[in-house]
Amino acid sequence: MITTRRFTHNAAKSLQPRRRFKQNMPLLIMFVPVIAYFIIFRYFPILGNAIAFKNYNLMDGIWGSPWVGLKYFKALFTQPQTLTIIRNTVTLSLLSIVAGFPFPIIIAILLNEVRAMRFKRIVQTLIYIPHFFSWVIVGGIVVTIFSQQSGIVNKLLELWTGHTTAFLYQEHSWIAIFLGSGIWKEAGWGAIIYLAALTSIDTHLYEAASIDGASKWKQIWHVTLPGIRSTIILMLILSMGTVMEVGFDHVYTLQNAAVSDVSNVISTYIFIVGVQGGQFSLTTAVGLFESLVGFFFVVLANQLARKFDQGLW
């Protein structure tokens, strides 16, 4: 009798995965295009990184081109131009993370404190809209505002001081405009994740803090921020993967020859030298190096987060 029960229990247990698989079949079918996208456009192109170790030419193709080993990686670290480009990429990326990372959190907290729903929806719509603008449009807006000849800011400066400033042709002001335009475009959209995280905080915690005499700022510091701490750490880990990545569109629409010493980054270098210049092997080596450094920073950030029990894996 006991043996029969055990057999029946084991048989039922073995049928559970099949039953669960059949129940989730519609969801799995919906997930197939996502899997296909990542395999075709994300994982399959990884094989093309072999170009970094070959003297690639179009006639012989990827596998027919002769191997050259680490030739292009050695060139990567010996050419002053590539070292400057790596430095610019890291600098702009780290500045973007340091300057831009807090803004979505601040926006989400401020929106969460708004009680007038109509006003809240209007503000949300206004701060989400820039995300859907292309960088060509954003670049046109920046030029319209900061152009030395016809920019709004310089028109006001000319009225007040009698002279204008070439904001887009000076390195420090160009970096400030680069960071500001990135924050303006993406901060509102990034706040969506934190707004979703804020909904999971128990409202009774705010009531208890209010009864204890905590002001609004103390409630934010002791209730709101700890409540979304795991989300903040998760987003920080993910952002560390982009330390070596600065968007091509963002830089290309704003850069000019006067600020090339700080605006030439890996993405623009790959476009100019690789696509236009035809040096595919060298730029593939640069791209592979960029990916490896990004992977290293993600692992490092995750290890640090695990010390606070907030690791991604």
Side-chain angles (χ1 to χ4, degrees), residues 10-25:
N10 291 334
K13 195 173 181 180
S14 64
L15 288 173
Q16 284 181 359
R18 296 180 184 177
R19 216 175 275 164
R20 196 176 297 115
F21 180 80
K22 289 181 179 179
Q23 290 175 349
N24 294 328
M25 183 62 73

Side-chain angles (χ1 to χ4, degrees), residues 62-274:
I62 295 176
W63 307 116
S65 300
W67 285 92
V68 293
L70 300 176
K71 172 185 175 182
Y72 292 104
F73 289 94
K74 293 176 181 177
L76 176 64
F77 295 104
T78 55
Q79 294 181 4
Q81 181 186 9
T82 55
L83 294 176
T84 302
I85 287 167
I86 293 171
R87 183 203 66 195
N88 293 342
T89 304
V90 174
T91 301
L92 290 178
S93 183
L94 287 177
L95 286 175
S96 297
I97 293 173
V98 172
F101 189 79
F103 277 89
I105 303 172
I106 295 170
I107 291 172
I109 292 173
L110 292 176
L111 288 175
N112 188 58
E113 296 298 326
V114 175
R115 295 294 172 260
M117 295 306 298
R118 185 176 181 182
F119 175 76
K120 183 177 181 179
R121 292 193 190 99
I122 293 172
V123 172
Q124 282 181 299
T125 303
L126 291 175
I127 63 177
Y128 292 166
I129 286 176
H131 170 77
F132 299 99
F133 292 163
S134 70
W135 277 113
V136 176
I137 296 174
V138 175
I141 294 172
V142 169
V143 172
T144 302
I145 295 174
F146 294 102
S147 173
Q148 186 174 9
Q149 288 78 24
S150 58
I152 298 171
V153 174
N154 272 307
K155 289 293 183 183
L156 294 175
L157 281 176
E158 191 173 12
L159 289 175
W160 294 337
T161 63
H163 60 83
T164 60
T165 303
F167 292 106
L168 295 173
Y169 299 94
Q170 297 177 6
E171 293 181 355
H172 291 88
S173 58
W174 186 90
I175 292 174
I177 292 170
F178 173 84
L179 297 175
S181 60
I183 293 170
W184 175 75
K185 187 176 186 298
E186 299 296 343
W189 186 255
I192 293 176
I193 296 174
Y194 298 106
L195 283 169
L198 287 170
T199 59
S200 64
I201 300 176
D202 190 354
T203 55
H204 293 92
L205 296 175
Y206 291 103
E207 295 174 3
S210 179
I211 292 171
D212 290 339
S215 63
K216 185 61 67 176
W217 290 110
K218 288 186 177 180
Q219 290 178 33
I220 291 173
W221 184 259
H222 294 288
V223 178
T224 304
L225 289 176
I228 60 173
R229 183 177 62 180
S230 59
T231 304
I232 293 173
I233 293 176
L234 172 63
M235 297 305 297
L236 181 61
I237 292 172
L238 295 176
S239 66
M240 292 305 294
T242 62
V243 167
M244 290 292 292
E245 181 181 343
V246 178
F248 169 78
D249 296 342
H250 190 183
V251 177
Y252 195 72
T253 55
L254 296 179
Q255 72 175 178
N256 54 73
V259 294
S260 59
D261 289 341
V262 295
S263 65
N264 281 333
V265 294
I266 289 177
S267 56
T268 56
Y269 177 78
I270 290 174
F271 174 72
I272 295 171
V273 177

